[in-house]
Amino acid sequence: MNVDPQPETAAQELVIQEINHVGVVTLRRPNAHNALTHAMVLGLTERLSQWKNDPAIRAVVIRGAGDRAFCAGGDIRALYQSYHDRTPLYRDFFVDEYLLDYMLHQYPKPCVAVMDGLVMGGGMGIAQGAALRVVTSRSQIAMPETAIGLFPDVGASYFLAKMPFELGLYLGITGVTLNAADALFAGLADTFAEGERLYDLDGLLSAITWTQEPLADLRSAIRTGHRADSGRPSLEGLMPAIQRHFDPARSVGEVIDSLDEERDPRYVEWASTTAEILRQRSPLMMCVTIEQLLRGRQAELADCFRMELGMVYRAFDDGDVIEGIRALLIDKDKRPRWRAATLDEVTQPMVSRFFDSPWSREEHPLRDLA
């Protein structure tokens, strides 16, 4: 087993191993729930690029240090500070993060994402590009961006659009957290494994006898059960209500009104809770998210990333993300002053501006994505 902690690349934030022809990356910021720094993104990209062309490497595994998180997103405090300091980090980070996520979607060798613990935002960007997405009894999965005045990015235009639209919209604008069973039901994970078994992941990988089907070999080594072992998904029982309330023809305001009118005793508590969640989210970014997901249903993966990069640049300059980070993570007063205080103040030009790319196709930072 070769171990290379890569201190010069990611300041001890990545641990690189090669175990029985498997390239293993451990995201190592456990005290920050393994949130991604720019150095981690660049270091992971560099290593994946090397392994892609290394005939000795048959597969890749990405995991998080500790048992609390795979990756809870990007280091948004650093992005917030960069914006105020007017340094390029808050723009460069997203370009490089999206390039990494796109690489994973296109990676020629099987990649496993061990989605143990928290998996949010940037962690979902990494995980959803993997060929085998493994959840555990500790998995807590979400795209909670509207809570901080952003939209579900890192390719969510693509992966949320692959599920029934009403479900993708529900997950995208509420940011609710899913357990393993619900992630499997929603198509955001592939298989279930007991977290305790994964403590010996190195041993499991070492014991693989490789065949001509490396993805099947990995699945067999890691999985300890089937989907049923993760429990019954709550989303399954909620789907009739989700499909009724989150109609794509409805505005966000109409969705909230519909939830307020729910009278079925099976769904009343869920509807009330969901309506309250939506009242706390950024009105502008919820409206932007609906338009984003509608466009994503008609777009290829590369175009989704190109669209989202333009959107995220707008979100810093014309949206609510800086205020959302301030209110929830910096000052922690939990009283964000959204650009549009109510849904009635959101206009179509405000929404449409997020989809006006700052670049021509030839000048786009992600122009080379196929």
Side-chain angles (χ1 to χ4, degrees):
M1 180 175 68
N2 178 38
V3 180
D4 176 6
Q6 295 284 290
E8 76 286 354
T9 303
Q12 298 285 346
E13 296 168 344
L14 295 178
V15 175
I16 308 297
Q17 300 168 272
E18 294 180 5
I19 304 172
N20 188 21
H21 305 289
V22 181
V24 180
V25 180
T26 304
L27 310 177
R28 190 168 66 179
R29 295 186 71 212
N31 293 334
H33 295 114
N34 300 318
L36 294 170
T37 64
H38 194 205
M40 292 168 75
V41 169
L42 294 175
L44 183 51
T45 300
E46 178 183 14
R47 182 58 62 166
L48 287 171
S49 298
Q50 293 171 3
W51 281 336
K52 180 170 62 174
N53 299 311
D54 184 346
I57 298 298
R58 306 199 61 169
V60 171
V61 170
I62 304 175
R63 61 185 174 184
D67 58 7
R68 294 191 299 164
F70 169 68
C71 174
D75 186 353
I76 56 178
R77 290 175 180 270
L79 301 178
Y80 176 89
Q81 191 62 48
S82 168
Y83 179 83
H84 282 291
D85 293 344
R86 308 313 294 177
T87 66
L89 172 65
Y90 78 99
R91 292 181 179 269
D92 294 345
F93 176 85
F94 288 100
V95 173
D96 293 322
E97 182 186 30
Y98 292 2
L99 287 169
L100 169 62
D101 295 340
Y102 184 80
M103 175 193 289
L104 285 163
H105 279 274
Q106 304 295 318
Y107 207 66
K109 299 178 181 181
C111 179
V112 178
V114 182
M115 301 168 70
D116 189 30
L118 292 173
V119 189
M120 298 181 178
M124 283 287 279
I126 291 174
Q128 293 308 308
L132 183 61
R133 301 161 298 173
V134 182
V135 283
T136 76
S137 57
R138 293 189 294 258
S139 294
Q140 299 177 66
I141 295 168
M143 292 297 291
E145 285 77 11
T146 57
I148 61 164
L150 194 56
F151 59 92
D153 68 322
V154 295
S157 307
Y158 181 78
F159 62 76
L160 289 181
K162 294 173 74 173
M163 60 185 69
F165 184 84
E166 297 88 350
L167 179 57
L169 180 59
Y170 167 62
L171 299 179
I173 66 174
T174 64
V176 294
T177 300
L178 306 181
N179 61 17
D182 286 327
L184 289 163
F185 177 84
L188 296 174
D190 300 302
T191 193
F192 177 81
E194 286 295 344
E196 289 73 14
R197 177 175 170 84
L198 297 178
Y199 284 139
D200 188 32
L201 181 58
D202 292 7
L204 297 177
L205 297 176
S206 296
I208 294 175
T209 300
W210 294 101
T211 71
Q212 296 302 310
E213 300 292 337
L215 181 57
D217 297 336
L218 287 164
R219 184 187 292 269
S220 178
I222 292 171
R223 188 178 66 185
T224 57
H226 299 278
R227 286 172 178 251
D229 298 318
S230 67
R232 184 176 179 84
S234 61
L235 284 179
E236 185 175 19
L238 290 172
M239 278 304 294
I242 291 172
Q243 290 175 322
R244 185 168 70 254
H245 294 298
F246 287 82
D247 187 319
R250 286 187 169 135
S251 66
V252 178
E254 289 169 337
V255 169
I256 294 175
D257 290 343
S258 177
L259 290 165
D260 286 339
E261 294 166 2
E262 179 62 69
R263 296 295 179 265
D264 189 321
R266 295 173 298 173
Y267 306 125
V268 167
E269 182 178 357
W270 167 83
S272 175
T273 300
T274 302
E276 183 58 29
I277 289 171
L278 295 179
R279 289 188 173 98
Q280 297 172 15
R281 301 303 191 235
S282 161
L284 173 58
M285 298 317 297
M286 287 192 294
C287 296
V288 167
T289 297
I290 291 182
E291 180 66 20
Q292 169 201 359
L293 296 181
L294 286 169
R295 292 179 181 231
R297 291 178 71 83
Q298 310 299 322
E300 299 294 332
L301 177 63
D303 289 327
C304 285
F305 278 114
R306 279 188 280 263
M307 176 180 71
E308 290 178 11
L309 187 64
M311 292 174 65
V312 82
Y313 276 31
R314 298 291 190 200
F316 275 86
D317 293 336
D318 301 315
D320 284 328
V321 66
I322 290 298
E323 174 60 14
I325 295 172
R326 180 207 64 77
L328 273 73
L329 296 172
I330 306 300
D331 297 338
K332 298 183 179 180
D333 58 35
K334 297 184 179 180
R335 297 177 64 86
R337 296 181 290 274
W338 301 127
R339 188 172 296 267
T342 67
L343 287 164
D344 289 339
E345 295 178 27
V346 179
T347 66
Q348 188 55 47
M350 291 169 68
V351 173
S352 297
R353 179 167 172 76
F354 280 80
F355 302 93
D356 293 335
S357 176
W359 316 277
S360 68
R361 180 68 175 244
E362 294 73 22
E363 297 172 329
H364 200 292
L366 304 181
R367 60 186 175 276
D368 293 332
L369 298 186

